[in-house]
Amino acid sequence: MSKLHRFVLLAALTLLAAPAATASAAHQMPIGFFDDVSLRFSPSAQQNIADAAATGASVIHTTANWATIAATKPADASDGDDPAYHLTDLDDLVANASRAGMRVMINVTGTPKWANGGHTPNYLPTSSSTFVTFVRMLATRYNGHNGHGSVSLWSIWNEPNLQQFLYPQYVGKTIVSPARYGALFKVAYAAIKSANPLAKVAIGETSAQGRDKPIKGASETVSPGTFARLLAKVKGLRFDAWAHHPYPTARTAKPLEKVKYPNVTLSTLPTFEKDLKAYFHRAVPIWITEYGHETKPAQPKGISTSLQAAYAKQALTIARNDPNVQMFIWFTFRDSSGNPWKSGIENSNGSHKTSYNSFSALARVINGTMTTVKAGTHPTIQMFVPELAANAGVGATVGMTYRVYDGSKLIYDAQPTAVIGADESVRFVANFAPVKKHTYSVVAELNDANGLTETETASVVAT
């Protein structure tokens, strides 16, 4: 969790962070929300983002829909300031999130008519170069060096295993969507990395379910397991994580409902992880970029708010206990008339549902970074400091006091400096020698030249 305070002197800091350090010694990862209606398009978006940050969340997932951002073809598609582009709301989200101590993850999806022969947004562009130009423009705009903030978390296309978002899925009875998506992903990945080498780019963003065969009159779908198996046949694929949406198959279903693999909900996620490792010949990090449970009475077919609270706690705990899962995004933050999904942890009037406390309590514990090192090796710690990046800028030097705990025991402390990178992070070597099979907590109080201070935590696991 990130708590922001303003101090003039680091010498004033105390050891009050020690209990939190002990609690956060388990698996840590970013926790966040996906809610464009509340956090991006609402007149109260800035306050809503601050409210979301108050839960302990540290990431906002958002969509860069090419079809709406560039409904008219730009004269210069490489220039984000071309009048055809509509980026003000995305610019504001990136800026507001950083000021609230949250990072942004952008999913790029949808094709404008001028780029796909006049079709709906689920048709891929007729020329991949138009998509590459758009993606590179976004990644450059938000690479931390161009006055529009930093975005270093990306994914390409939303639920490409569903016809609703990517057409066609089949030609005749042959599944074609993985190969077509894979070709598009390859060029988009290269474009993002060229604009910001520190960026992380996820593949997939897959829906939990699919039929794996065309049915006349029904929307075409492919299961995530099959989609991944066929995608692995695309040569030259490089990616940093697999993004997935392991929603239950029905509104009233439990987080661990039984489903038939290769459909992938939380119950079959371990099998999916094993297959991904086999398909891509390495352990594949999982980003859960959408998950949620809708509630009554806003959704008459939903579940009670108390049951949502129990399910949220269970889902977060499952993710926390899975070492492959490295991000968890809840959809949505607040119920609203503009969003048909009623899965927020707040009601439309801003009051808290029962799930708010369950979600927040775990988010505060789980949020953070984690590194695994060989015993006896001084670990390099990475911590994300978006508010300091917004306040001082990329490249600024920050001071810090960090403390290392083995359980509740303080074993080391130091006061180095570090530089804010283009991914809104600082890196420093913690000068202690971890003991094999021990897990350590590192708590750092970092401050910039203006006196803004940010508290971050990290875990170190020694093998």
Side-chain angles (χ1 to χ4, degrees), residues 218-282:
S219 184
E220 298 175 356
T221 62
V222 176
S223 70
T226 298
F227 192 86
R229 176 174 57 81
L230 296 176
L231 186 58
K233 297 179 182 295
V234 176
K235 293 182 179 180
L237 272 182
R238 299 177 64 190
F239 58 92
D240 298 301
W242 187 285
H244 185 60
H245 308 163
Y247 287 109
T249 60
R251 285 191 170 97
T252 57
K254 300 177 180 179
L256 285 176
E257 67 160 334
K258 293 182 179 180
V259 298
K260 186 177 180 181
Y261 190 79
N263 289 322
V264 181
T265 61
L266 290 177
S267 65
T268 52
L269 188 59
T271 302
F272 187 50
E273 292 168 355
K274 291 178 182 178
D275 279 354
L276 288 176
K277 185 175 183 179
Y279 299 154
F280 295 102
H281 312 292
R282 64 183 176 93

Side-chain angles (χ1 to χ4, degrees), residues 380-401:
T380 297
I381 307 296
Q382 181 181 29
M383 291 179 169
F384 292 93
V385 290
E387 188 173 10
L388 292 180
N391 189 59
V394 168
T397 298
V398 297
M400 74 176 81
T401 293

Side-chain angles (χ1 to χ4, degrees), residues 185-361:
F185 180 88
K186 282 174 62 176
V187 294
Y189 175 91
I192 292 172
K193 292 288 188 174
S194 68
N196 185 357
L198 295 179
K200 301 296 183 183
V201 188
I203 200 169
E205 286 284 1
T206 37
S207 171
Q209 302 178 70
R211 285 186 294 270
D212 291 344
K213 62 181 179 180
I215 297 177
K216 187 176 181 180
S219 184
E220 298 175 356
T221 62
V222 176
S223 70
T226 298
F227 192 86
R229 176 174 57 81
L230 296 176
L231 186 58
K233 297 179 182 295
V234 176
K235 293 182 179 180
L237 272 182
R238 299 177 64 190
F239 58 92
D240 298 301
W242 187 285
H244 185 60
H245 308 163
Y247 287 109
T249 60
R251 285 191 170 97
T252 57
K254 300 177 180 179
L256 285 176
E257 67 160 334
K258 293 182 179 180
V259 298
K260 186 177 180 181
Y261 190 79
N263 289 322
V264 181
T265 61
L266 290 177
S267 65
T268 52
L269 188 59
T271 302
F272 187 50
E273 292 168 355
K274 291 178 182 178
D275 279 354
L276 288 176
K277 185 175 183 179
Y279 299 154
F280 295 102
H281 312 292
R282 64 183 176 93
V284 174
I286 300 293
W287 293 358
I288 295 177
T289 48
E290 284 189 39
Y291 186 85
H293 293 269
E294 295 188 89
T295 60
K296 299 184 288 189
Q299 171 48 259
K301 296 181 180 180
I303 59 177
S304 68
T305 55
S306 60
L307 197 55
Q308 185 199 40
Y311 287 175
K313 181 178 180 180
Q314 184 180 6
L316 278 164
T317 301
I318 291 167
R320 186 190 188 197
N321 291 337
D322 185 335
N324 292 312
V325 176
Q326 295 185 8
M327 184 187 297
F328 186 100
I329 303 293
W330 185 270
F331 185 81
T332 59
F333 172 59
R334 178 180 294 159
D335 291 351
S336 64
S337 58
N339 190 339
W341 269 76
K342 308 302 179 185
S343 53
I345 63 171
E346 288 191 349
N347 295 301
S348 57
N349 62 4
S351 62
H352 296 174
K353 295 183 185 179
T354 311
S355 56
Y356 182 97
N357 288 337
S358 299
F359 183 95
S360 182

